[in-house]
Amino acid sequence: LISAVLHLSLARSYIPLTRWNDVEFHLNRAIPVFRAANDSIDLADGLGMQAGLETFRGRYGAAMRDYREAVDLYRELGNQAPADTAFDIKSSYAEFLTLIMRRGPAEVKPLYDDLLTTGARERSIPRTSVAHAMANWALVLGQQERFSEEERVLLDALTTGRKEDPGGMWESV
């Protein structure tokens, strides 16, 4: 299990370096060990990373499978799941469904409801991450031509992002 944790850490460190083959190599060694050990927390984390890699590589079916499994694991873990990591993976999944898979509001609304409720409740989640999820939800509202709601959510996202990151990317919008 210790070597699997090391592989997961190495995979994470290669992501910002865009060394995708190294990310895949280390995830392929970590995930089976976490699965065999019934380590749901690290397994969900690894699956979330793998889903992002699969998305980047255009393997959307594999990404969908990995995101679903990770989200299901976090749901089973409940309050034992690390709030910030679970939020990040759920947010990436929601963005994947919305922007890449073009799923409709009925499919993504429960996920965004969960994200926004969790973001409001859990102070350990960076407010900029919550603002990002809010902005993505606003896109869904705009696709439904619910423009006044879209504007309200976008303004709330900007306010939230600017409070945590004054002078950052939320200021230029």
Side-chain angles (χ1 to χ4, degrees):
L1 196 55
I2 293 170
S3 67
V5 171
L6 178 61
H7 281 294
L8 187 66
S9 178
L10 286 168
R12 186 182 329 280
S13 70
Y14 284 126
I15 291 171
L17 301 174
T18 65
R19 292 178 53 179
W20 306 122
N21 290 336
D22 292 322
V23 173
E24 184 174 39
F25 174 86
H26 290 289
L27 288 175
N28 286 341
R29 274 136 190 88
I31 289 172
V33 174
F34 294 138
R35 194 179 302 282
N38 291 317
D39 181 345
S40 296
I41 291 174
D42 287 325
L43 177 58
D45 189 14
L47 288 168
M49 274 190 260
Q50 184 167 278
L53 175 64
E54 298 294 4
T55 301
F56 176 78
R57 290 189 163 169
R59 300 178 195 153
Y60 300 139
M64 178 77 79
R65 181 193 67 237
D66 291 338
Y67 273 130
R68 281 185 180 152
E69 187 177 354
V71 169
D72 287 345
L73 286 167
Y74 284 130
R75 190 173 298 117
E76 290 170 14
L77 285 163
N79 291 335
Q80 292 178 327
D84 55 342
T85 306
F87 186 91
D88 286 344
I89 290 173
K90 288 178 182 179
S91 184
S92 294
Y93 181 43
E95 188 171 293
F96 170 79
L97 289 174
T98 302
L99 302 177
I100 294 175
M101 300 305 288
R102 302 277 194 197
R103 294 300 168 93
E107 187 172 348
V108 298
K109 185 178 185 327
L111 193 52
Y112 280 109
D113 286 347
D114 178 49
L115 284 166
L116 300 180
T117 300
T118 302
R121 182 184 67 240
E122 293 289 338
R123 302 313 292 178
S124 64
I125 298 166
R127 299 297 90 193
T128 52
S129 296
V130 175
H132 186 85
M134 293 167 72
N136 284 335
W137 174 239
L139 290 173
V140 174
L141 294 171
Q143 291 168 349
Q144 294 178 288
E145 298 183 4
R146 294 165 57 185
F147 301 121
S148 62
E149 290 175 79
E150 175 192 30
E151 180 182 28
R152 180 188 53 77
V153 173
L154 277 175
L155 291 172
D156 287 348
L158 285 170
T159 301
T160 300
R162 287 172 177 166
K163 279 182 187 173
E164 183 165 312
D165 188 23
M169 75 166 230
W170 295 97
E171 294 293 337
S172 63
V173 180

